[in-house]
Amino acid sequence: MRWDFVRTVMLGSLACFPISLALIAMPLATPANADVVASSDMLQLNNQMRFAIGSPTVPADPRLTQAAINHANYSSANGQGGHFETAGLPYYTGYSARDRLITAGWTTSFVSEVATGGAGLAGVRQLWDAPYHRLGMMHPNATNIGWGHSDLNGRETTVGDLVYNFGFRAVDFVRSPANMQTNIPASWSGHESPNPLPSGVSGPVGYPIMVVYSAGQNVQMRAAEVVAPNGTRLPIYYAAQQFEYDYQVIIPQQPLAVNTTYHVRFDITVAGTY
């Protein structure tokens, strides 16, 4: 895909920034080492994905890693998904992700958590494909990430805990997929909670396309388009903003064609003075 942004700055004049992106949709291959579950390997994969889109790579912290492992153990041992724990059940370490980080010795105001029943590296990839989970994993204001995995009771759980500092702007924004990025899946299952697809719609759909701005800048969608090489505009879904307002997501309604370059345009309004 090739990107174009038309960015309107609030309280300012219209500023047009032609930014090109080539996205080559490819078949999704099964990773050969999907069963690797070391926290360091999962962090490395997450950082490889961040680096590929121009988002700063971030270090682990043993406290975040321990909190992620703790919740993975709780989820597997009790056969539960989600992000909240019940006191008294095995491996309980705190009700919410923030509580569990405090238990592990970390105190912070901005915490998010991603979790899936996928195993190890395959689980990290699965989370990245889902746009609301990718939001935290790709966010340019993330400062530390801890990954954990468990297979207690024969149940696979992969958890990532992320912390943020919205007071700095290492980069202005990041896009996923990135400019000229290849080996992009042609489709996405549509499996995510909360669900970014309209009620009654199920996958497979095209691979989600998103932009995230740094430092908590508000981003409003005016219009977007995905154009095939023959000039056909693909029908898309606009995903509602969840959790925060510094990003936008569109999802092609049908799987993309493999080995094909698409043109993407976002017409967005970004709050700010620049």
Side-chain angles (χ1 to χ4, degrees), residues 37 39 42 64-82 84-86 89-94 100 113-116 147-161:
V37 295
S39 296
M42 291 186 284
L64 272 67
T65 300
Q66 188 59 57
I69 293 171
N70 289 344
H71 187 55
N73 284 335
Y74 171 91
S75 300
S76 289
N78 295 291
Q80 296 185 4
F84 300 101
E85 298 186 4
T86 300
L89 291 181
Y91 294 94
Y92 173 85
T93 54
R100 294 187 290 274
E113 181 174 79
V114 295
T116 180
W147 284 96
H149 176 268
S150 178
D151 59 2
L152 290 174
N153 290 343
R155 300 186 183 97
E156 301 277 2
T157 305
T158 298
V159 175
D161 282 328

Side-chain angles (χ1 to χ4, degrees), residues 19-42:
I19 302 174
S20 65
L21 166 76
L23 184 154
I24 310 300
M26 301 291 289
L28 181 59
T30 301
N33 56 347
D35 58 346
V36 176
V37 295
S39 296
S40 58
D41 290 326
M42 291 186 284

Side-chain angles (χ1 to χ4, degrees), residues 74-221:
Y74 171 91
S75 300
S76 289
N78 295 291
Q80 296 185 4
H83 303 288
F84 300 101
E85 298 186 4
T86 300
L89 291 181
Y91 294 94
Y92 173 85
T93 54
Y95 172 70
S96 68
R98 188 170 188 273
D99 295 331
R100 294 187 290 274
L101 261 64
I102 291 173
T103 298
W106 182 289
T107 301
T108 183
S109 299
F110 301 107
V111 180
S112 72
E113 181 174 79
V114 295
T116 180
L121 299 185
V124 175
R125 292 186 178 93
Q126 182 185 60
L127 289 164
W128 183 271
D129 290 343
Y132 290 149
H133 290 71
R134 193 192 319 171
L135 170 62
M137 295 170 67
M138 69 179 279
H139 205 294
N141 287 116
T143 57
N144 296 89
I145 303 175
W147 284 96
H149 176 268
S150 178
D151 59 2
L152 290 174
N153 290 343
R155 300 186 183 97
E156 301 277 2
T157 305
T158 298
V159 175
D161 282 328
L162 306 95
V163 295
Y164 307 86
N165 178 359
F166 292 97
F168 74 98
R169 190 179 296 178
V171 295
D172 193 24
F173 62 86
V174 289
R175 296 160 292 175
S176 177
N179 186 36
M180 301 302 294
Q181 188 171 358
T182 58
N183 295 318
I184 304 303
S187 64
W188 175 54
S189 67
H191 297 159
E192 185 172 27
S193 179
N195 191 344
L197 299 175
S199 177
V201 174
S202 60
V205 292
Y207 195 71
I209 304 163
M210 57 194 300
V211 60
V212 183
Y213 274 76
S214 64
Q217 300 174 87
N218 184 283
V219 182
Q220 297 176 334
M221 176 65 76

